[in-house]
Amino acid sequence: MMKKEQAPVPVYHPMPSQTCLATQLTEEEQIRIEQLIGLIQHLPKGVYDPGRDWSEKIRECVICMMDFVYGDPIRSLPCMRIYHMNCIDDWLMCSFTCSSYVEPVDAALLSSYETK
């Protein structure tokens, strides 16, 4: 009989200097993480295309400071800033604000639903 490999337990970083396993989170922390993941998934995503109009102004991700390359997965925030998807997703899990303006993303996201 073959042993089934168990999936590794996800590790979360609630604070920059703090690491914990998902199994160590309280129920409230687990709910908050699920809410954040749900909100992040509602933000627009795409791929970087230097031929688009806005590409002349936005050439690098302000989180990692690396230039965008054609085909990079990107995500945009309600403030119209774009970031590498991995960079902004990690950022939003720690602070649900725009990294440039420190504007709360959830308030802007909710107001965008109210105007539709």
Side-chain angles (χ1 to χ4, degrees):
M1 203 179 248
M2 294 181 68
K3 282 187 176 180
K4 282 188 177 180
E5 286 189 34
Q6 291 184 344
V9 176
V11 175
Y12 291 96
H13 306 275
M15 302 290 248
S17 62
Q18 182 183 7
T19 301
C20 66
L21 298 174
T23 55
Q24 297 171 318
L25 297 172
T26 66
E27 186 176 346
E28 291 82 19
E29 290 169 328
Q30 291 175 23
I31 290 169
R32 181 65 182 146
I33 287 171
E34 289 299 320
Q35 289 172 334
L36 286 173
I37 291 170
L39 286 171
I40 290 168
Q41 295 306 313
H42 279 86
L43 294 169
K45 61 183 176 180
V47 294
Y48 184 74
D49 180 356
R52 299 194 72 181
D53 294 339
W54 45 259
S55 67
E56 292 299 318
K57 296 176 184 173
I58 304 171
R59 294 186 180 197
E60 73 176 12
C61 174
V62 297
I63 295 173
C64 68
M65 305 303 284
M66 300 292 292
D67 286 343
F68 291 111
V69 176
Y70 180 83
D72 279 351
I74 58 171
R75 188 177 301 281
S76 60
L77 298 185
C79 63
M80 304 308 288
R81 295 250 183 277
I82 65 167
Y83 303 87
H84 287 120
M85 194 157 45
N86 288 341
C87 295
I88 195 61
D89 288 1
D90 288 348
W91 174 275
L92 292 172
M93 287 301 293
C94 293
S95 172
F96 210 67
T97 59
C98 171
S99 69
S100 299
Y101 290 110
V102 195
E103 175 185 326
V105 174
D106 50 354
L109 185 60
L110 291 173
S111 69
S112 71
Y113 282 116
E114 291 171 2
T115 59
K116 290 182 181 179

